[in-house]
């Protein structure tokens, strides 16, 4: 959340662990992630000037859709933004890019507001690697109780056989 006052613009990510996209997309180029940009309060006065949001980003790394949009009562004062990775052919390993949103308006309530940015992790398909994607951003189990899952995949097709071995680290709570 960027601003906690009653007149604010928010970027809402789907979870607290950040946005991650993969050039491989689990086997397909162009993996996407989405987040929402919200305007508060909604509805704002009908006589108000429109509030336009414009994305600024590295177009060699990702594409953003829509790049520009208006937040209005007709849209529920919210817009879903989709970011798609691009396969750039460069060996970069895991890296990040940022999508910054700018406010373009003559509306005095929102003219000085900042939207903030979204940091996006890109998993490179030109560099060999192993990715572990935990469900809900972490893995937790209970003895004799619930289970959890995670996904393991390679960032690029292997040139030979690859073995990935899970190693369980023993950790104990210290008794006091």
């Amino acid at each position: 959340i960027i601003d906690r006052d009653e007149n604010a613009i928010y970027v809402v990510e789907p979870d607290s662990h950040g946005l991650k996209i993969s050039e491989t997309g689990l086997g397909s180029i162009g993996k996407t992630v989405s987040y929402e940009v919200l305007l508060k309060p909604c509805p704002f006065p009908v006589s108000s000037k429109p509030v336009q949001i414009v994305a600024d980003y590295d177009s060699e790394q990702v594409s953003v859709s829509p790049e520009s949009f208006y937040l209005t009562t007709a849209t529920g004062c919210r817009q879903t933004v989709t970011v798609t990775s691009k396969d750039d052919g460069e060996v970069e390993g895991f890296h990040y890019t940022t999508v910054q949103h700018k406010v373009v308006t003559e509306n005095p309530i929102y003219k000085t507001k900042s939207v903030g940015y979204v940091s996006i992790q890109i998993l490179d398909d030109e560099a060999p690697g192993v990715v572990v994607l935990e469900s809900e951003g972490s893995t937790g189990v209970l003895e004799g109780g619930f289970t959890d899952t995670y996904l393991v995949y390679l960032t690029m097709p292997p040139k030979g056989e690859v073995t990935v071995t899970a190693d369980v680290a023993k950790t104990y709570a210290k008794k006091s």
Side-chain angles (χ1 to χ4, degrees):
I1 295 176
I2 306 309
D3 191 340
R4 293 193 182 272
D5 72 19
E6 63 184 37
N7 300 310
I9 302 169
Y10 300 101
V11 173
V12 180
E13 296 182 13
D15 62 44
S16 61
H17 304 287
L19 299 172
K20 297 177 183 176
I21 56 178
S22 169
E23 291 178 4
T24 59
L26 302 178
S28 61
I29 301 302
K31 180 69 177 170
T32 64
V33 293
S34 297
Y35 57 91
E36 284 192 317
V37 177
L38 307 171
L39 180 68
K40 179 185 173 189
C42 184
F44 56 93
V46 176
S47 61
S48 293
K49 297 185 186 318
V51 177
Q52 183 182 19
I53 308 295
V54 179
D56 182 24
Y57 59 96
D58 182 349
S59 62
E60 292 185 14
Q61 295 290 322
V62 295
S63 63
V64 175
S65 180
E67 291 183 351
S68 173
F69 52 89
Y70 288 92
L71 295 173
T72 67
T73 53
T75 65
C77 298
R78 65 179 44 210
Q79 175 68 52
T80 298
V81 177
T82 301
V83 180
T84 304
S85 66
K86 291 185 176 180
D87 190 5
D88 56 14
E90 294 182 32
V91 178
E92 299 164 298
F94 298 159
H95 56 287
Y96 290 85
T97 191
T98 302
V99 178
Q100 174 72 47
H101 292 281
K102 298 176 185 175
V103 178
V104 179
T105 185
E106 293 302 317
N107 185 319
I109 296 173
Y110 299 101
K111 190 172 187 173
T112 60
K113 301 295 178 186
S114 64
V115 182
Y117 65 91
V118 177
S119 181
I120 300 168
Q121 181 181 11
I122 300 174
L123 310 175
D124 193 4
D125 66 345
E126 284 82 30
V130 177
V131 176
V132 177
L133 294 176
E134 297 175 286
S135 60
E136 303 296 324
S138 66
T139 302
V141 297
L142 177 66
E143 286 184 19
F146 63 87
T147 62
D148 201 349
T149 61
Y150 56 88
L151 177 65
V152 177
Y153 73 96
L154 303 175
T155 58
M156 62 185 294
K159 294 186 175 156
E161 186 174 311
V162 174
T163 302
V164 177
T165 305
D167 185 16
V168 179
K170 292 183 181 183
T171 58
Y172 299 95
K174 185 176 181 178
K175 291 183 180 180
S176 49

mmCIF file of all heavy atoms in Angstrom, residues 13-64:
data_model
loop_
_atom_site.group_PDB
_atom_site.id
_atom_site.type_symbol
_atom_site.label_atom_id
_atom_site.label_comp_id
_atom_site.label_asym_id
_atom_site.label_seq_id
_atom_site.Cartn_x
_atom_site.Cartn_y
_atom_site.Cartn_z
ATOM 1 N N GLU A 13 -0.830 -6.479 -4.880
ATOM 2 C CA GLU A 13 -0.258 -7.693 -5.441
ATOM 3 C C GLU A 13 -1.056 -8.885 -4.943
ATOM 4 O O GLU A 13 -1.650 -8.840 -3.875
ATOM 5 C CB GLU A 13 1.207 -7.818 -5.036
ATOM 6 C CG GLU A 13 2.055 -6.708 -5.593
ATOM 7 C CD GLU A 13 3.518 -6.846 -5.234
ATOM 8 O OE1 GLU A 13 3.924 -7.901 -4.762
ATOM 9 O OE2 GLU A 13 4.242 -5.872 -5.450
ATOM 10 N N PRO A 14 -1.067 -9.974 -5.713
ATOM 11 C CA PRO A 14 -1.896 -11.113 -5.333
ATOM 12 C C PRO A 14 -1.455 -11.817 -4.062
ATOM 13 O O PRO A 14 -2.223 -12.498 -3.437
ATOM 14 C CB PRO A 14 -1.795 -12.047 -6.529
ATOM 15 C CG PRO A 14 -0.582 -11.617 -7.252
ATOM 16 C CD PRO A 14 -0.392 -10.162 -6.962
ATOM 17 N N ASP A 15 -0.225 -11.689 -3.646
ATOM 18 C CA ASP A 15 0.230 -12.267 -2.389
ATOM 19 C C ASP A 15 1.373 -11.424 -1.841
ATOM 20 O O ASP A 15 1.864 -10.524 -2.507
ATOM 21 C CB ASP A 15 0.649 -13.735 -2.539
ATOM 22 C CG ASP A 15 1.820 -13.913 -3.491
ATOM 23 O OD1 ASP A 15 2.790 -13.136 -3.413
ATOM 24 O OD2 ASP A 15 1.766 -14.835 -4.302
ATOM 25 N N SER A 16 1.783 -11.709 -0.637
ATOM 26 C CA SER A 16 2.797 -10.883 0.007
ATOM 27 C C SER A 16 4.217 -11.249 -0.397
ATOM 28 O O SER A 16 5.163 -10.684 0.107
ATOM 29 C CB SER A 16 2.652 -11.009 1.525
ATOM 30 O OG SER A 16 2.850 -12.356 1.903
ATOM 31 N N HIS A 17 4.379 -12.188 -1.285
ATOM 32 C CA HIS A 17 5.703 -12.656 -1.648
ATOM 33 C C HIS A 17 6.207 -12.048 -2.952
ATOM 34 O O HIS A 17 7.219 -12.477 -3.476
ATOM 35 C CB HIS A 17 5.706 -14.183 -1.725
ATOM 36 C CG HIS A 17 5.235 -14.787 -0.456
ATOM 37 N ND1 HIS A 17 5.991 -14.801 0.687
ATOM 38 C CD2 HIS A 17 4.055 -15.348 -0.130
ATOM 39 C CE1 HIS A 17 5.303 -15.371 1.657
ATOM 40 N NE2 HIS A 17 4.129 -15.705 1.194
ATOM 41 N N GLY A 18 5.513 -11.093 -3.494
ATOM 42 C CA GLY A 18 5.967 -10.433 -4.709
ATOM 43 C C GLY A 18 5.508 -11.153 -5.961
ATOM 44 O O GLY A 18 4.935 -12.230 -5.921
ATOM 45 N N LEU A 19 5.761 -10.541 -7.063
ATOM 46 C CA LEU A 19 5.363 -11.088 -8.352
ATOM 47 C C LEU A 19 6.553 -11.731 -9.009
ATOM 48 O O LEU A 19 7.629 -11.160 -9.055
ATOM 49 C CB LEU A 19 4.814 -9.969 -9.246
ATOM 50 C CG LEU A 19 3.588 -9.254 -8.708
ATOM 51 C CD1 LEU A 19 3.271 -8.051 -9.579
ATOM 52 C CD2 LEU A 19 2.407 -10.185 -8.662
ATOM 53 N N LYS A 20 6.362 -12.907 -9.542
ATOM 54 C CA LYS A 20 7.430 -13.615 -10.224
ATOM 55 C C LYS A 20 6.909 -14.091 -11.567
ATOM 56 O O LYS A 20 5.807 -14.597 -11.670
ATOM 57 C CB LYS A 20 7.894 -14.826 -9.414
ATOM 58 C CG LYS A 20 8.488 -14.467 -8.086
ATOM 59 C CD LYS A 20 8.863 -15.702 -7.318
ATOM 60 C CE LYS A 20 9.385 -15.297 -5.945
ATOM 61 N NZ LYS A 20 9.666 -16.469 -5.118
ATOM 62 N N ILE A 21 7.703 -13.916 -12.592
ATOM 63 C CA ILE A 21 7.349 -14.460 -13.889
ATOM 64 C C ILE A 21 8.538 -15.199 -14.448
ATOM 65 O O ILE A 21 9.669 -14.965 -14.055
ATOM 66 C CB ILE A 21 6.860 -13.378 -14.886
ATOM 67 C CG1 ILE A 21 7.901 -12.281 -15.059
ATOM 68 C CG2 ILE A 21 5.536 -12.822 -14.469
ATOM 69 C CD1 ILE A 21 7.488 -11.226 -16.051
ATOM 70 N N SER A 22 8.269 -16.095 -15.337
ATOM 71 C CA SER A 22 9.324 -16.910 -15.909
ATOM 72 C C SER A 22 9.299 -16.764 -17.414
ATOM 73 O O SER A 22 8.239 -16.818 -18.021
ATOM 74 C CB SER A 22 9.096 -18.371 -15.530
ATOM 75 O OG SER A 22 9.946 -19.205 -16.266
ATOM 76 N N GLU A 23 10.481 -16.559 -18.008
ATOM 77 C CA GLU A 23 10.539 -16.530 -19.464
ATOM 78 C C GLU A 23 10.099 -17.870 -20.024
ATOM 79 O O GLU A 23 9.560 -17.957 -21.106
ATOM 80 C CB GLU A 23 11.957 -16.206 -19.935
ATOM 81 C CG GLU A 23 12.389 -14.791 -19.633
ATOM 82 C CD GLU A 23 13.803 -14.508 -20.054
ATOM 83 O OE1 GLU A 23 14.452 -15.373 -20.650
ATOM 84 O OE2 GLU A 23 14.273 -13.385 -19.793
ATOM 85 N N THR A 24 10.327 -18.930 -19.267
ATOM 86 C CA THR A 24 9.924 -20.251 -19.744
ATOM 87 C C THR A 24 8.456 -20.512 -19.466
ATOM 88 O O THR A 24 7.823 -21.272 -20.168
ATOM 89 C CB THR A 24 10.742 -21.369 -19.075
ATOM 90 O OG1 THR A 24 10.554 -21.283 -17.675
ATOM 91 C CG2 THR A 24 12.202 -21.273 -19.414
ATOM 92 N N GLY A 25 7.912 -19.902 -18.448
ATOM 93 C CA GLY A 25 6.500 -20.071 -18.142
ATOM 94 C C GLY A 25 6.113 -21.525 -17.974
ATOM 95 O O GLY A 25 5.065 -21.948 -18.426
ATOM 96 N N LEU A 26 6.984 -22.300 -17.322
ATOM 97 C CA LEU A 26 6.752 -23.731 -17.167
ATOM 98 C C LEU A 26 6.594 -24.388 -18.519
ATOM 99 O O LEU A 26 5.741 -25.225 -18.730
ATOM 100 C CB LEU A 26 5.535 -24.007 -16.276
ATOM 101 C CG LEU A 26 5.608 -23.413 -14.874
ATOM 102 C CD1 LEU A 26 4.342 -23.703 -14.108
ATOM 103 C CD2 LEU A 26 6.810 -23.925 -14.126
ATOM 104 N N GLY A 27 7.379 -23.971 -19.482
ATOM 105 C CA GLY A 27 7.381 -24.604 -20.789
ATOM 106 C C GLY A 27 6.861 -23.735 -21.915
ATOM 107 O O GLY A 27 6.929 -24.115 -23.057
ATOM 108 N N SER A 28 6.323 -22.568 -21.597
ATOM 109 C CA SER A 28 5.816 -21.720 -22.674
ATOM 110 C C SER A 28 6.329 -20.300 -22.499
ATOM 111 O O SER A 28 6.274 -19.752 -21.413
ATOM 112 C CB SER A 28 4.281 -21.723 -22.680
ATOM 113 O OG SER A 28 3.796 -21.210 -21.474
ATOM 114 N N ILE A 29 6.828 -19.718 -23.576
ATOM 115 C CA ILE A 29 7.333 -18.349 -23.536
ATOM 116 C C ILE A 29 6.163 -17.408 -23.271
ATOM 117 O O ILE A 29 5.061 -17.603 -23.764
ATOM 118 C CB ILE A 29 8.014 -17.996 -24.883
ATOM 119 C CG1 ILE A 29 9.164 -18.961 -25.165
ATOM 120 C CG2 ILE A 29 8.483 -16.555 -24.900
ATOM 121 C CD1 ILE A 29 10.233 -18.992 -24.104
ATOM 122 N N GLY A 30 6.403 -16.365 -22.509
ATOM 123 C CA GLY A 30 5.366 -15.365 -22.288
ATOM 124 C C GLY A 30 4.554 -15.596 -21.035
ATOM 125 O O GLY A 30 3.365 -15.335 -21.004
ATOM 126 N N LYS A 31 5.148 -16.079 -19.971
ATOM 127 C CA LYS A 31 4.440 -16.262 -18.707
ATOM 128 C C LYS A 31 3.976 -14.905 -18.204
ATOM 129 O O LYS A 31 4.674 -13.910 -18.321
ATOM 130 C CB LYS A 31 5.380 -16.928 -17.699
ATOM 131 C CG LYS A 31 4.782 -17.175 -16.352
ATOM 132 C CD LYS A 31 3.721 -18.229 -16.384
ATOM 133 C CE LYS A 31 3.203 -18.468 -14.964
ATOM 134 N NZ LYS A 31 2.050 -19.283 -14.927
ATOM 135 N N THR A 32 2.801 -14.854 -17.630
ATOM 136 C CA THR A 32 2.235 -13.589 -17.173
ATOM 137 C C THR A 32 1.904 -13.620 -15.685
ATOM 138 O O THR A 32 1.701 -14.688 -15.105
ATOM 139 C CB THR A 32 0.942 -13.240 -17.947
ATOM 140 O OG1 THR A 32 -0.045 -14.237 -17.668
ATOM 141 C CG2 THR A 32 1.180 -13.163 -19.431
ATOM 142 N N VAL A 33 1.865 -12.456 -15.087
ATOM 143 C CA VAL A 33 1.361 -12.243 -13.738
ATOM 144 C C VAL A 33 0.474 -11.000 -13.778
ATOM 145 O O VAL A 33 0.599 -10.168 -14.676
ATOM 146 C CB VAL A 33 2.481 -12.052 -12.694
ATOM 147 C CG1 VAL A 33 3.272 -13.322 -12.499
ATOM 148 C CG2 VAL A 33 3.376 -10.899 -13.051
ATOM 149 N N SER A 34 -0.422 -10.896 -12.813
ATOM 150 C CA SER A 34 -1.335 -9.756 -12.766
ATOM 151 C C SER A 34 -1.379 -9.162 -11.371
ATOM 152 O O SER A 34 -1.107 -9.846 -10.389
ATOM 153 C CB SER A 34 -2.743 -10.184 -13.180
ATOM 154 O OG SER A 34 -2.762 -10.638 -14.500
ATOM 155 N N TYR A 35 -1.733 -7.892 -11.314
ATOM 156 C CA TYR A 35 -1.971 -7.199 -10.055
ATOM 157 C C TYR A 35 -3.008 -6.136 -10.336
ATOM 158 O O TYR A 35 -3.377 -5.888 -11.491
ATOM 159 C CB TYR A 35 -0.673 -6.597 -9.491
ATOM 160 C CG TYR A 35 0.034 -5.650 -10.431
ATOM 161 C CD1 TYR A 35 -0.244 -4.285 -10.409
ATOM 162 C CD2 TYR A 35 0.968 -6.116 -11.334
ATOM 163 C CE1 TYR A 35 0.397 -3.422 -11.271
ATOM 164 C CE2 TYR A 35 1.616 -5.260 -12.199
ATOM 165 C CZ TYR A 35 1.331 -3.911 -12.155
ATOM 166 O OH TYR A 35 1.967 -3.057 -13.024
ATOM 167 N N GLU A 36 -3.528 -5.495 -9.290
ATOM 168 C CA GLU A 36 -4.551 -4.469 -9.450
ATOM 169 C C GLU A 36 -4.043 -3.116 -8.984
ATOM 170 O O GLU A 36 -3.257 -3.034 -8.038
ATOM 171 C CB GLU A 36 -5.807 -4.809 -8.654
ATOM 172 C CG GLU A 36 -6.644 -5.881 -9.291
ATOM 173 C CD GLU A 36 -8.008 -5.972 -8.633
ATOM 174 O OE1 GLU A 36 -8.087 -5.914 -7.394
ATOM 175 O OE2 GLU A 36 -8.986 -6.108 -9.365
ATOM 176 N N VAL A 37 -4.520 -2.082 -9.649
ATOM 177 C CA VAL A 37 -4.317 -0.709 -9.211
ATOM 178 C C VAL A 37 -5.692 -0.194 -8.802
ATOM 179 O O VAL A 37 -6.660 -0.307 -9.560
ATOM 180 C CB VAL A 37 -3.714 0.157 -10.343
ATOM 181 C CG1 VAL A 37 -3.572 1.600 -9.888
ATOM 182 C CG2 VAL A 37 -2.376 -0.409 -10.800
ATOM 183 N N LEU A 38 -5.792 0.337 -7.577
ATOM 184 C CA LEU A 38 -7.073 0.784 -7.019
ATOM 185 C C LEU A 38 -7.040 2.269 -6.698
ATOM 186 O O LEU A 38 -6.006 2.788 -6.284
ATOM 187 C CB LEU A 38 -7.384 0.033 -5.727
ATOM 188 C CG LEU A 38 -7.352 -1.477 -5.761
ATOM 189 C CD1 LEU A 38 -7.474 -2.033 -4.356
ATOM 190 C CD2 LEU A 38 -8.471 -1.996 -6.623
ATOM 191 N N LEU A 39 -8.180 2.919 -6.852
ATOM 192 C CA LEU A 39 -8.335 4.335 -6.525
ATOM 193 C C LEU A 39 -9.274 4.434 -5.329
ATOM 194 O O LEU A 39 -10.333 3.812 -5.310
ATOM 195 C CB LEU A 39 -8.934 5.068 -7.723
ATOM 196 C CG LEU A 39 -9.184 6.557 -7.598
ATOM 197 C CD1 LEU A 39 -7.866 7.300 -7.507
ATOM 198 C CD2 LEU A 39 -9.990 7.045 -8.789
ATOM 199 N N LYS A 40 -8.868 5.202 -4.309
ATOM 200 C CA LYS A 40 -9.698 5.392 -3.131
ATOM 201 C C LYS A 40 -9.855 6.881 -2.887
ATOM 202 O O LYS A 40 -8.865 7.595 -2.959
ATOM 203 C CB LYS A 40 -9.021 4.716 -1.938
ATOM 204 C CG LYS A 40 -9.774 4.861 -0.641
ATOM 205 C CD LYS A 40 -8.988 4.264 0.506
ATOM 206 C CE LYS A 40 -9.679 4.585 1.805
ATOM 207 N NZ LYS A 40 -8.878 4.229 2.950
ATOM 208 N N PRO A 41 -11.013 7.431 -2.641
ATOM 209 C CA PRO A 41 -12.274 6.714 -2.488
ATOM 210 C C PRO A 41 -12.935 6.439 -3.825
ATOM 211 O O PRO A 41 -12.613 7.071 -4.829
ATOM 212 C CB PRO A 41 -13.120 7.694 -1.686
ATOM 213 C CG PRO A 41 -12.641 9.044 -2.130
ATOM 214 C CD PRO A 41 -11.155 8.860 -2.383
ATOM 215 N N CYS A 42 -13.831 5.511 -3.833
ATOM 216 C CA CYS A 42 -14.637 5.204 -5.010
ATOM 217 C C CYS A 42 -16.069 5.052 -4.521
ATOM 218 O O CYS A 42 -16.316 4.290 -3.592
ATOM 219 C CB CYS A 42 -14.166 3.922 -5.666
ATOM 220 S SG CYS A 42 -15.048 3.546 -7.196
ATOM 221 N N PRO A 43 -17.022 5.740 -5.075
ATOM 222 C CA PRO A 43 -16.845 6.648 -6.209
ATOM 223 C C PRO A 43 -16.313 8.003 -5.756
ATOM 224 O O PRO A 43 -16.586 8.449 -4.672
ATOM 225 C CB PRO A 43 -18.256 6.789 -6.765
ATOM 226 C CG PRO A 43 -19.145 6.596 -5.581
ATOM 227 C CD PRO A 43 -18.425 5.627 -4.676
ATOM 228 N N PHE A 44 -15.549 8.619 -6.659
ATOM 229 C CA PHE A 44 -15.123 9.985 -6.391
ATOM 230 C C PHE A 44 -16.116 10.899 -7.103
ATOM 231 O O PHE A 44 -16.894 10.455 -7.935
ATOM 232 C CB PHE A 44 -13.671 10.223 -6.788
ATOM 233 C CG PHE A 44 -13.315 9.917 -8.229
ATOM 234 C CD1 PHE A 44 -13.349 10.899 -9.184
ATOM 235 C CD2 PHE A 44 -12.934 8.632 -8.600
ATOM 236 C CE1 PHE A 44 -13.009 10.629 -10.490
ATOM 237 C CE2 PHE A 44 -12.594 8.356 -9.905
ATOM 238 C CZ PHE A 44 -12.637 9.359 -10.854
ATOM 239 N N PRO A 45 -16.137 12.186 -6.769
ATOM 240 C CA PRO A 45 -17.166 13.082 -7.322
ATOM 241 C C PRO A 45 -17.238 13.033 -8.850
ATOM 242 O O PRO A 45 -16.217 13.017 -9.533
ATOM 243 C CB PRO A 45 -16.727 14.463 -6.844
ATOM 244 C CG PRO A 45 -15.878 14.198 -5.651
ATOM 245 C CD PRO A 45 -15.218 12.875 -5.891
ATOM 246 N N VAL A 46 -18.474 12.974 -9.367
ATOM 247 C CA VAL A 46 -18.696 12.901 -10.816
ATOM 248 C C VAL A 46 -18.065 14.092 -11.527
ATOM 249 O O VAL A 46 -17.578 13.971 -12.644
ATOM 250 C CB VAL A 46 -20.215 12.817 -11.124
ATOM 251 C CG1 VAL A 46 -20.473 12.846 -12.612
ATOM 252 C CG2 VAL A 46 -20.812 11.581 -10.490
ATOM 253 N N SER A 47 -18.031 15.236 -10.877
ATOM 254 C CA SER A 47 -17.462 16.436 -11.500
ATOM 255 C C SER A 47 -15.929 16.420 -11.520
ATOM 256 O O SER A 47 -15.318 17.293 -12.111
ATOM 257 C CB SER A 47 -17.947 17.683 -10.762
ATOM 258 O OG SER A 47 -17.502 17.630 -9.414
ATOM 259 N N SER A 48 -15.334 15.424 -10.895
ATOM 260 C CA SER A 48 -13.871 15.353 -10.835
ATOM 261 C C SER A 48 -13.268 15.113 -12.206
ATOM 262 O O SER A 48 -13.862 14.477 -13.069
ATOM 263 C CB SER A 48 -13.420 14.220 -9.913
ATOM 264 O OG SER A 48 -13.764 14.497 -8.599
ATOM 265 N N LYS A 49 -12.067 15.603 -12.378
ATOM 266 C CA LYS A 49 -11.317 15.353 -13.604
ATOM 267 C C LYS A 49 -10.834 13.905 -13.577
ATOM 268 O O LYS A 49 -10.570 13.348 -12.514
ATOM 269 C CB LYS A 49 -10.150 16.321 -13.692
ATOM 270 C CG LYS A 49 -10.606 17.777 -13.771
ATOM 271 C CD LYS A 49 -9.430 18.691 -13.975
ATOM 272 C CE LYS A 49 -9.758 20.142 -13.935
ATOM 273 N NZ LYS A 49 -10.871 20.667 -14.549
ATOM 274 N N PRO A 50 -10.707 13.262 -14.737
ATOM 275 C CA PRO A 50 -10.324 11.851 -14.762
ATOM 276 C C PRO A 50 -8.911 11.628 -14.215
ATOM 277 O O PRO A 50 -8.071 12.518 -14.246
ATOM 278 C CB PRO A 50 -10.399 11.482 -16.244
ATOM 279 C CG PRO A 50 -10.337 12.773 -16.983
ATOM 280 C CD PRO A 50 -10.881 13.824 -16.069
ATOM 281 N N VAL A 51 -8.684 10.412 -13.727
ATOM 282 C CA VAL A 51 -7.379 10.027 -13.202
ATOM 283 C C VAL A 51 -6.812 8.965 -14.132
ATOM 284 O O VAL A 51 -7.338 7.869 -14.236
ATOM 285 C CB VAL A 51 -7.487 9.484 -11.761
ATOM 286 C CG1 VAL A 51 -6.131 9.019 -11.263
ATOM 287 C CG2 VAL A 51 -8.078 10.541 -10.839
ATOM 288 N N GLN A 52 -5.744 9.334 -14.837
ATOM 289 C CA GLN A 52 -5.086 8.415 -15.757
ATOM 290 C C GLN A 52 -3.829 7.864 -15.104
ATOM 291 O O GLN A 52 -3.094 8.591 -14.443
ATOM 292 C CB GLN A 52 -4.720 9.120 -17.066
ATOM 293 C CG GLN A 52 -4.086 8.197 -18.085
ATOM 294 C CD GLN A 52 -3.689 8.921 -19.368
ATOM 295 O OE1 GLN A 52 -3.563 10.131 -19.410
ATOM 296 N NE2 GLN A 52 -3.490 8.148 -20.411
ATOM 297 N N ILE A 53 -3.597 6.571 -15.291
ATOM 298 C CA ILE A 53 -2.404 5.911 -14.779
ATOM 299 C C ILE A 53 -1.618 5.402 -15.989
ATOM 300 O O ILE A 53 -2.173 4.763 -16.881
ATOM 301 C CB ILE A 53 -2.764 4.726 -13.858
ATOM 302 C CG1 ILE A 53 -3.741 5.156 -12.765
ATOM 303 C CG2 ILE A 53 -1.517 4.086 -13.290
ATOM 304 C CD1 ILE A 53 -3.205 6.156 -11.784
ATOM 305 N N VAL A 54 -0.318 5.712 -16.010
ATOM 306 C CA VAL A 54 0.538 5.322 -17.133
ATOM 307 C C VAL A 54 1.697 4.488 -16.586
ATOM 308 O O VAL A 54 2.348 4.883 -15.615
ATOM 309 C CB VAL A 54 1.090 6.563 -17.867
ATOM 310 C CG1 VAL A 54 1.999 6.162 -19.018
ATOM 311 C CG2 VAL A 54 -0.055 7.443 -18.364
ATOM 312 N N ALA A 55 1.951 3.332 -17.205
ATOM 313 C CA ALA A 55 3.035 2.448 -16.774
ATOM 314 C C ALA A 55 4.350 2.843 -17.426
ATOM 315 O O ALA A 55 4.400 3.188 -18.609
ATOM 316 C CB ALA A 55 2.697 1.003 -17.131
ATOM 317 N N ASP A 56 5.415 2.790 -16.644
ATOM 318 C CA ASP A 56 6.774 3.019 -17.128
ATOM 319 C C ASP A 56 7.564 1.759 -16.784
ATOM 320 O O ASP A 56 7.601 1.346 -15.615
ATOM 321 C CB ASP A 56 7.368 4.246 -16.427
ATOM 322 C CG ASP A 56 8.763 4.574 -16.932
ATOM 323 O OD1 ASP A 56 9.104 4.200 -18.075
ATOM 324 O OD2 ASP A 56 9.520 5.198 -16.157
ATOM 325 N N TYR A 57 8.190 1.128 -17.795
ATOM 326 C CA TYR A 57 8.847 -0.160 -17.578
ATOM 327 C C TYR A 57 9.882 -0.418 -18.662
ATOM 328 O O TYR A 57 9.937 0.284 -19.660
ATOM 329 C CB TYR A 57 7.803 -1.283 -17.567
ATOM 330 C CG TYR A 57 7.020 -1.363 -18.860
ATOM 331 C CD1 TYR A 57 7.399 -2.243 -19.858
ATOM 332 C CD2 TYR A 57 5.927 -0.533 -19.093
ATOM 333 C CE1 TYR A 57 6.700 -2.303 -21.055
ATOM 334 C CE2 TYR A 57 5.224 -0.590 -20.278
ATOM 335 C CZ TYR A 57 5.619 -1.476 -21.257
ATOM 336 O OH TYR A 57 4.936 -1.536 -22.447
ATOM 337 N N ASP A 58 10.695 -1.444 -18.470
ATOM 338 C CA ASP A 58 11.724 -1.846 -19.430
ATOM 339 C C ASP A 58 11.069 -2.741 -20.485
ATOM 340 O O ASP A 58 10.831 -3.924 -20.241
ATOM 341 C CB ASP A 58 12.846 -2.591 -18.716
ATOM 342 C CG ASP A 58 13.980 -3.009 -19.637
ATOM 343 O OD1 ASP A 58 13.834 -2.909 -20.879
ATOM 344 O OD2 ASP A 58 15.022 -3.450 -19.112
ATOM 345 N N SER A 59 10.795 -2.196 -21.640
ATOM 346 C CA SER A 59 10.067 -2.931 -22.688
ATOM 347 C C SER A 59 10.891 -4.052 -23.319
ATOM 348 O O SER A 59 10.352 -4.861 -24.061
ATOM 349 C CB SER A 59 9.580 -1.967 -23.771
ATOM 350 O OG SER A 59 10.687 -1.333 -24.383
ATOM 351 N N GLU A 60 12.182 -4.122 -23.015
ATOM 352 C CA GLU A 60 12.982 -5.251 -23.506
ATOM 353 C C GLU A 60 12.814 -6.475 -22.605
ATOM 354 O O GLU A 60 13.072 -7.589 -23.035
ATOM 355 C CB GLU A 60 14.452 -4.859 -23.614
ATOM 356 C CG GLU A 60 14.690 -3.832 -24.709
ATOM 357 C CD GLU A 60 16.162 -3.525 -24.893
ATOM 358 O OE1 GLU A 60 17.014 -4.279 -24.377
ATOM 359 O OE2 GLU A 60 16.453 -2.517 -25.560
ATOM 360 N N GLN A 61 12.387 -6.264 -21.365
ATOM 361 C CA GLN A 61 12.220 -7.356 -20.413
ATOM 362 C C GLN A 61 10.783 -7.864 -20.340
ATOM 363 O O GLN A 61 10.554 -9.067 -20.231
ATOM 364 C CB GLN A 61 12.655 -6.910 -19.011
ATOM 365 C CG GLN A 61 14.120 -6.591 -18.894
ATOM 366 C CD GLN A 61 14.987 -7.835 -18.982
ATOM 367 O OE1 GLN A 61 14.645 -8.884 -18.478
ATOM 368 N NE2 GLN A 61 16.115 -7.716 -19.657
ATOM 369 N N VAL A 62 9.821 -6.941 -20.361
ATOM 370 C CA VAL A 62 8.412 -7.302 -20.184
ATOM 371 C C VAL A 62 7.515 -6.434 -21.054
ATOM 372 O O VAL A 62 7.934 -5.388 -21.547
ATOM 373 C CB VAL A 62 7.971 -7.133 -18.701
ATOM 374 C CG1 VAL A 62 8.697 -8.099 -17.789
ATOM 375 C CG2 VAL A 62 8.127 -5.697 -18.234
ATOM 376 N N SER A 63 6.282 -6.893 -21.214
ATOM 377 C CA SER A 63 5.241 -6.035 -21.772
ATOM 378 C C SER A 63 4.181 -5.858 -20.691
ATOM 379 O O SER A 63 4.012 -6.722 -19.828
ATOM 380 C CB SER A 63 4.630 -6.647 -23.038
ATOM 381 O OG SER A 63 3.993 -7.868 -22.745
ATOM 382 N N VAL A 64 3.493 -4.721 -20.708
ATOM 383 C CA VAL A 64 2.497 -4.391 -19.705
ATOM 384 C C VAL A 64 1.196 -4.053 -20.416
ATOM 385 O O VAL A 64 1.181 -3.286 -21.378
ATOM 386 C CB VAL A 64 2.964 -3.188 -18.844
ATOM 387 C CG1 VAL A 64 1.880 -2.770 -17.870
ATOM 388 C CG2 VAL A 64 4.251 -3.526 -18.117
#
